[in-house]
């Protein structure tokens, strides 16, 4: 095939076909398969192919060649920017042409006319320098490197990288989503997701008890394994797929751990008066729950006018129940042992409490002892030395006589009498000490 002749004038002449021919060849090959190419398009391409443009050698190409990356979520519109100086495209419009080329090297547009048979694409020019390519309802196949070019020497090219993003989507997971295992076994939860870019999968535990926050568990990846599972592991679990594109994809699993009943008592001894009412309670923790009953003397206690059996849930603890027995009026046959028994498919558990009669007999408190003594003969103050000597002799006689002083007291036992004598002796010593202090 003969190449187009390039003649030299004051500048260098270059055919526009050198700019668009590679893209045209690819487009025509595709059009032959798909039937896109119409007569009007063929005529337009032929006019372009055989036209020639005068260019001044090494002229400034007037295009912003900064490489850009545009990220758009699938289904939205992508705007690929291209800015060219109006000095070339407006003042010398007959000489310089702007084209867009697809990642497959297919010609998308010539100047502001769309060549490709895809009505999602168009050239939008809000101002003279803009040659923006709009792609509506973007799909994953639209991703790639687009080129905005002008036929200067050298050819001015702006590359725009289009990245089409897709929110994460969970495509496979553990089924059924409600998993039930006995204590001691292992639980494997699986979650697989797709998206662009590839999402990262994290695992979280959602506590049933409201006071606990959402807790991250395990490691990043498609599999969460819980080994040697216990009843404390029973909860809701989430796999969250995140690739930075909203919204995240979430799948929730419910893990149930089954185990035999556990019966506990808040009090294993209870006292109450004859003829009064009372209430007995036990706590039953089991998964699943089965039959619960109160047993007295080997017999199940039914509901009747004097006995009322109750059952209550515990807030935020669905595996725990409060099993109660109300006795409205106690008689002498009601005292003794009561057993709370719970049974499910995995076993049986029980706990026994005792009910005693509360006695009404009380004892009177002891009466304190009293002592009577006579100190009328004692003179606490002496004015003369003779009086002092006389009083000292009398005080000594008084101390001796106190041992023989008759004590009157009330109460029971010898302890009160001993206490009275001790108090009398110490009081005498105290009075003598004060007397000697005053008279000295």
């Amino acid at each position: 095939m003969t190449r187009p002749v390039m003649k030299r004038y004051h500048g260098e002449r270059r055919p526009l076909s050198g700019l668009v021919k590679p893209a045209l060849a690819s487009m025509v090959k595709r059009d032959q398969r798909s039937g896109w190419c119409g007569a009007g398009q063929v005529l337009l391409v032929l006019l372009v192919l055989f036209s020639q443009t005068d260019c001044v050698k090494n002229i400034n190409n007037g295009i912003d060649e900064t490489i850009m990356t545009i990220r758009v979520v699938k289904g939205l519109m992508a705007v690929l920017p291209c800015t060219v100086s109006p000095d070339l495209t407006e003042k010398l419009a007959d000489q310089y042409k702007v084209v867009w080329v697809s990642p497959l090297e297919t010609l998308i547009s010539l100047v502001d006319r769309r060549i490709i048979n895809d009505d999602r694409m168009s050239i939008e020019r809000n101002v003279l320098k803009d040659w923006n390519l709009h792609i509506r309802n973007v799909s994953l196949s639209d991703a790639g490197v687009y080129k905005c070019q002008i036929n200067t020497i050298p050819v001015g090219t702006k590359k725009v990288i289009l990245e089409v993003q897709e929110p994460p989507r969970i495509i496979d997971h553990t089924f059924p989503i409600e998993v039930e295992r006995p204590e001691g076994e292992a639980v494997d939860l699986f979650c697989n997701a797709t998206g662009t870019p590839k999402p990262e999968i994290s695992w979280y535990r959602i506590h049933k008890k409201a006071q606990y926050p959402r807790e991250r568990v395990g490691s990043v990846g498609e599999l969460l394994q819980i080994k040697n599972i216990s009843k404390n592991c029973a909860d809701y679990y989430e796999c969250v797929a995140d690739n930075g594109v909203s919204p995240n994809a979430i799948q929730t699993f419910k893990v149930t751990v089954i185990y035999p009943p556990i019966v506990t008592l808040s009090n294993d001894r209870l006292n109450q008066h004859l003829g009064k009412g009372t209430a007995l309670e036990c706590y039953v923790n089991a998964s699943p729950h089965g039959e619960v009953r109160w047993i007295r003397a080997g017999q199940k206690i039914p509901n009747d006018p004097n006995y009322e059996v109750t059952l209550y849930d515990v807030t935020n603890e669905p595996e725990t129940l409060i099993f109660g027995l109300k006795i409205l009026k106690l008689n002498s046959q009601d005292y003794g042992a009561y057993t709370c028994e719970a049974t499910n498919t995995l076993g049986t558990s029980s706990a026994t409490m005792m009910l005693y009669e509360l006695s009404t007999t009380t004892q009177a408190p002891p009466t304190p002892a009293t002592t009577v003594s006579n100190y009328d003969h004692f003179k606490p103050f002496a004015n003369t030395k003779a009086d002092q000597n006389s009083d000292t002799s009398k005080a000594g006689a008084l101390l001796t006589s106190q041992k023989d002083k008759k004590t009157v007291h009330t109460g029971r036992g010898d302890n009160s009498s001993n206490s009275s004598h001790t108090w009398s002796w110490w009081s005498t010593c105290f009075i003598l000490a004060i007397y000697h202090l005053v008279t000295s």
Side-chain angles (χ1 to χ4, degrees):
M1 180 177 178
T2 304
R3 294 184 179 179
V5 178
M6 297 191 61
K7 298 181 181 180
R8 294 184 179 272
Y9 297 94
H10 298 289
E12 183 173 342
R13 181 179 294 274
R14 181 186 179 192
L16 185 62
S17 58
L19 179 66
V20 301
K21 191 171 182 179
L24 177 64
S26 175
M27 186 187 71
V28 170
K29 185 180 296 184
R30 173 176 292 187
D31 290 346
Q32 289 175 348
R33 295 194 302 267
S34 62
W36 286 359
C37 194
Q41 290 179 325
V42 173
L43 177 60
L44 177 60
V45 170
L46 291 176
L47 290 174
V48 172
L49 183 62
F50 291 105
S51 66
Q52 292 181 337
T53 304
D54 290 330
C55 296
V56 179
K57 188 176 183 179
N58 295 328
I59 190 171
N60 185 349
N61 54 36
I63 188 171
D64 178 10
E65 295 184 337
T66 304
I67 298 176
M68 300 183 66
T69 299
I70 303 297
R71 296 179 178 88
V72 181
V73 177
K74 177 184 175 183
L76 300 182
M77 183 176 72
V79 178
L80 281 56
C82 181
T83 301
V84 182
S85 173
D87 292 340
L88 299 179
T89 58
E90 303 303 321
K91 296 179 181 180
L92 302 174
D94 293 337
Q95 302 178 32
Y96 300 105
K97 310 294 182 184
V98 176
V99 298
W100 275 95
V101 179
S102 75
L104 299 176
E105 296 298 330
T106 300
L107 190 64
I108 297 175
S109 65
L110 174 62
V111 194
D112 55 0
R113 297 181 181 178
R114 175 169 54 86
I115 301 298
I116 192 171
N117 188 20
D118 189 343
D119 56 8
R120 297 178 306 132
M121 300 184 181
S122 63
I123 306 299
E124 303 293 338
R125 303 188 62 194
N126 295 328
V127 294
L128 292 178
K129 66 178 182 179
D130 287 348
W131 296 83
N132 300 334
L133 174 63
H134 287 209
I135 307 176
R136 287 166 288 275
N137 191 23
V138 173
S139 65
L140 295 176
S141 60
D142 291 326
V145 180
Y146 290 77
K147 291 181 286 187
C148 175
Q149 295 182 320
I150 185 170
N151 59 322
T152 55
I153 298 178
V155 174
T157 301
K158 179 182 182 64
K159 293 183 180 179
V160 181
I161 303 170
L162 176 61
E163 295 182 0
V164 180
Q165 299 178 332
E166 183 180 24
R169 181 169 52 90
I170 295 176
I171 57 176
D172 192 15
H173 58 79
T174 298
F175 189 85
I177 58 175
E178 295 188 4
V179 181
E180 185 178 281
R181 292 286 187 279
E183 276 190 305
E185 294 193 3
V187 173
D188 292 339
L189 300 178
F190 170 76
C191 210
N192 187 19
T194 185
T196 306
K198 183 176 177 59
E200 182 181 85
I201 296 179
S202 303
W203 293 89
Y204 295 86
R205 178 178 179 177
I206 312 301
H207 289 276
K208 292 173 291 188
K209 297 182 179 180
Q211 62 266 35
Y212 291 105
R214 187 168 179 254
E215 177 189 8
R216 185 162 182 171
V217 295
S219 56
V220 174
E222 298 178 348
L223 180 66
L224 175 65
Q225 187 175 53
I226 309 173
K227 298 180 180 179
N228 192 25
I229 196 168
S230 70
K231 63 180 181 179
N232 295 325
C233 300
D235 239 325
Y236 289 91
Y237 293 82
E238 284 184 350
C239 79
V240 180
D242 182 9
N243 66 351
V245 183
S246 298
N248 294 338
I250 300 176
Q251 178 61 56
T252 303
F253 303 92
K254 181 181 180 181
V255 175
T256 301
V257 181
I258 57 176
Y259 52 90
I262 302 172
V263 178
T264 56
L265 299 171
S266 57
N267 191 355
D268 60 358
R269 295 172 62 91
L270 191 62
N271 301 328
Q272 185 55 286
H273 295 288
L274 184 67
K276 300 290 185 179
T278 190
L280 288 65
E281 285 185 347
C282 69
Y283 293 83
V284 179
N285 184 271
S287 179
H289 283 291
E291 182 183 2
V292 188
R293 54 190 173 270
W294 283 101
I295 298 176
R296 169 86 169 110
Q299 299 294 322
K300 178 181 176 181
I301 301 176
N303 272 314
D304 65 24
N306 197 44
Y307 299 97
E308 181 181 348
V309 178
T310 60
L311 192 64
Y312 302 99
D313 293 330
V314 177
T315 305
N316 295 326
E317 294 185 15
E319 293 84 11
T320 302
L321 299 174
I322 300 177
F323 189 50
L325 173 64
K326 292 182 179 180
I327 305 176
L328 303 182
K329 186 177 181 180
L330 288 169
N331 56 53
S332 58
Q333 289 76 30
D334 289 327
Y335 295 105
Y338 288 81
T339 299
C340 175
E341 183 179 88
T343 302
N344 69 3
T345 56
L346 301 177
T348 301
S349 177
S350 64
T352 301
M353 69 183 304
M354 297 298 296
L355 177 60
Y356 296 98
E357 181 179 357
L358 186 62
S359 175
T360 58
T361 304
T362 58
Q363 294 182 349
T367 304
T370 60
T371 303
V372 178
S373 299
N374 184 10
Y375 297 103
D376 294 339
H377 64 281
F378 181 66
K379 296 179 180 180
F381 299 103
N383 296 326
T384 64
K385 188 171 183 179
D387 292 337
Q388 293 177 5
N389 294 334
S390 176
D391 291 339
T392 302
S393 300
K394 292 179 180 180
L398 176 63
L399 178 61
T400 303
S401 66
Q402 290 299 323
K403 298 179 180 178
D404 300 326
K405 180 71 66 177
K406 183 179 180 179
T407 304
V408 180
H409 55 85
T410 61
R412 292 178 296 179
D414 295 334
N415 290 336
S416 298
S417 177
N418 293 337
S419 176
S420 300
H421 284 296
T422 301
W423 182 87
S424 177
W425 187 86
W426 278 106
S427 63
T428 303
C429 291
F430 178 72
I431 294 171
L432 286 175
I434 294 177
Y435 173 78
H436 284 289
L437 181 64
V438 172
T439 59
S440 59

